[in-house]
Amino acid sequence: MFSTRCIQRWYPNVSHLSKLISSGSSQLGDLGSGAGKGGGGGGTIREAGGSFGKMEAAREEEYFYKKQLEQLERLKNDQIHQAEYHHQQIKEHEEAIERHKTFLDNLPK
């Protein structure tokens, strides 16, 4: 499993992702209960509060959660493909070394 520390080390430009993961919703208050602390309401449905506001907030949270999972999956696949590429490169270099050794052994002395 990926840890946020490993992701930050490999990809320093996605440090904001780890902040989102670790911060949670402590500064948001009760989602969907009306206008937020930051001055912006987030739209008329969320400003109104009630069950529609809570439902819209839940959908929004679900959307970003799924987006985050997609990003992490792409990151994981990218790492897997890079590892496979490097293993292939190692194999090709080892074969080239063997070819050169064979050539050197066959040279007249």
Side-chain angles (χ1 to χ4, degrees):
M1 203 70 187
F2 286 104
S3 71
T4 57
R5 201 172 294 165
C6 290
I7 292 171
Q8 284 177 335
R9 186 175 65 230
W10 293 330
Y11 294 94
N13 293 334
V14 293
S15 61
H16 67 282
L17 195 77
S18 66
K19 290 177 187 173
L20 288 173
I21 294 169
S22 64
S23 68
S25 61
S26 62
Q27 296 178 353
L28 298 176
D30 191 20
L31 293 176
S33 62
K37 295 179 184 178
T44 55
I45 292 177
R46 289 189 66 181
E47 284 177 3
S51 61
F52 282 119
K54 290 180 181 175
M55 183 173 60
E56 187 62 30
R59 285 184 182 155
E60 184 178 328
E61 292 295 315
E62 179 184 13
Y63 170 80
F64 285 112
Y65 177 76
K66 286 181 179 179
K67 275 293 198 191
Q68 184 181 24
L69 288 179
E70 289 173 9
Q71 289 173 343
L72 289 173
E73 187 65 29
R74 275 194 307 245
L75 182 67
K76 179 181 175 184
N77 288 336
D78 183 46
Q79 291 298 308
I80 291 170
H81 291 306
Q82 284 186 22
E84 290 171 353
Y85 170 77
H86 289 297
H87 284 296
Q88 182 63 32
Q89 289 291 309
I90 290 169
K91 181 180 173 187
E92 290 175 11
H93 286 290
E94 287 173 345
E95 290 171 356
I97 289 170
E98 287 302 316
R99 270 196 321 270
H100 290 293
K101 283 182 181 179
T102 304
F103 177 77
L104 290 173
D105 289 341
N106 293 333
L107 279 178
K109 296 181 181 180

